[in-house]
């Protein structure tokens, strides 16, 4: 049974930084791509960043240059470092395990989800 357990996130002022982490278990972590999505109230869930099995990365235009995704295959973890946070980054952030080794920009490309963690950026 695959499980994704998230930690981190929280409340920060605009311009600040937060880190979200996700610990995976139940399958060979290094074989699969991983992603971070977010969902703000009244909006659809959107892909923020993703990393392939070979460490290639994808970032949404809205977070390029501010967010960094990384993975540690020895620890089965994937992290999202969020810098220069803006109020519009406020959302629930979800870790997601892909169905394949490669990055998917679609929700359908992900089979497993973390419990979500709130990120709130005050102005």
């Amino acid at each position: 049974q695959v499980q994704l357990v998230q930690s981190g996130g929280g409340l920060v002022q605009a311009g600040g930084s937060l880190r979200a982490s996700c610990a995976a278990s139940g399958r060979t972590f290094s074989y699969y791509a991983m992603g971070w999505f977010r969902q703000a109230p009244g909006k659809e869930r959107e892909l923020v960043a993703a990393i392939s099995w070979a460490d290639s990365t994808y970032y949404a235009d809205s977070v390029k240059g501010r967010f960094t995704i990384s993975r540690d295959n020895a620890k089965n973890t994937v992290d999202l470092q969020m810098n220069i946070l803006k109020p519009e980054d406020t959302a629930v952030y979800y870790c997601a395990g892909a169905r394949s080794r490669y990055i998917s920009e679609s929700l359908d490309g992900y089979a497993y989800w973390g419990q979500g963690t709130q990120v709130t950026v005050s102005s």
Side-chain angles (χ1 to χ4, degrees):
Q1 181 180 359
V2 176
Q3 287 191 314
L4 301 177
V5 179
Q6 297 179 220
S7 60
L11 172 65
V12 69
Q13 289 188 332
S17 297
L18 287 172
R19 190 176 186 89
S21 296
C22 175
S25 62
R27 66 177 184 177
T28 306
F29 179 77
S30 61
Y31 286 5
Y32 297 92
M34 297 291 295
W36 283 95
F37 286 75
R38 68 185 180 189
Q39 188 166 19
K43 295 189 176 182
E44 294 185 350
R45 193 171 296 191
E46 62 174 355
L47 181 64
V48 173
I51 187 165
S52 76
W53 73 287
D55 287 343
S56 60
T57 56
Y58 163 90
Y59 295 97
D61 287 343
S62 58
V63 307
K64 278 181 184 175
R66 301 188 297 120
F67 288 16
T68 303
I69 188 170
S70 61
R71 66 189 299 160
D72 185 334
N73 290 336
K75 296 181 180 179
N76 289 357
T77 57
V78 58
D79 291 347
L80 184 69
Q81 177 66 40
M82 300 174 277
N83 298 329
I84 318 175
L85 282 159
K86 304 175 181 180
E88 51 263 43
D89 294 319
T90 296
V92 178
Y93 283 69
Y94 296 92
C95 171
R99 299 181 186 276
S100 79
R101 298 185 173 200
Y102 307 106
I103 291 170
S104 171
E105 296 182 33
S106 168
L107 279 167
D108 290 341
Y110 297 83
Y112 305 101
W113 296 88
Q115 79 275 21
T117 186
Q118 179 69 46
V119 169
T120 302
V121 185
S122 63
S123 57

